[in-house]
Amino acid sequence: MIFDARPFGLSADPATTALIVIDMQRDFIEPGGFGASLGNDVSLLQAIIPATARLIAGCRAAGIPVIHTRECHQPDLSDCPPAKRDRGNPDLRIGDPGPMGRILIAGEPGAQIIPELAPTPGEKVIDKPGKGAFYATDLGEYLAGLGTKTLIFAGVTTEVCVQTTMREANDRGFDCLLAEDATESYFPRFKQATLDMIRAQGAIVGWTASVDEILSALAPVGA
Ligand code: C5J
């Protein structure tokens, strides 16, 4: 199949393609979580939920594996460097009790993926302590086991965890395709800059395409 993507078409084999949905958690998308504690307007991120749900459904129908990530830490904070917890001047720090449980802590309500995009039984869910999903996780081994060569990316936030993971994946030899309308930032100009820098210089980090463009390449696969 060929994705009609920018800066040019991306050829991929559905059998070696996977979707990674980054950090679509209540802590980033709903009021009272980590994103809001940093002073962000979380409502901006809610706009991509329908497009992301369509992308996930299209991948599932085409037999493309769907992997979900969650940024969160162990309850004893042993995997949260003080430099991360102490950064800035948030209302609530990582591990503090908030309206959705302890902020950014594994197992708490805020760390869960939003119900609209919930993983189905058997889908891989990766808890990650960093911004990049390869750091301190088994993602690399898992993808090697699947034989994955091409990764489709969705999720939040575009310039932080999505871009970091795309760069990690690019350095590991994956072709990376970001779904433009299934990713969002608290800062629209940062999203635009990220899309531009990913596909600049002949796809130096990867490609971008709309969810519709991705689904049209996948549709014959699921038929
Ligand atoms: C942030 C993320 N923005 N998932 N995390 O801290 O992008």
Side-chain angles (χ1 to χ4, degrees), residues 105-126:
I105 296 296
E108 297 286 339
Q112 304 310 315
I113 292 167
I114 56 170
E116 297 91 323
L117 306 181
T120 54
E123 282 180 352
K124 176 81 168 165
V125 180
I126 292 181

Side-chain angles (χ1 to χ4, degrees), residues 20-94:
I20 302 196
V21 185
I22 304 276
D23 300 357
M24 290 298 286
Q25 296 160 250
R26 299 183 64 199
D27 254 324
F28 292 102
I29 291 168
E30 295 184 14
F34 181 63
S37 80
L38 297 172
N40 297 304
D41 173 6
V42 294
S43 68
L44 276 173
L45 273 45
Q46 290 162 10
I48 65 161
I49 296 172
T52 309
R54 282 196 307 120
L55 178 62
I56 292 172
C59 286
R60 285 177 182 149
I64 304 277
V66 180
I67 299 161
H68 307 257
T69 70
R70 303 184 291 206
E71 182 179 348
C72 55
H73 295 276
Q74 294 302 308
D76 64 1
L77 298 178
S78 55
D79 59 356
C80 181
K84 180 174 182 181
R85 186 162 193 267
D86 296 344
R87 190 77 48 83
N89 189 25
D91 296 339
L92 294 170
R93 291 191 188 276
I94 296 168

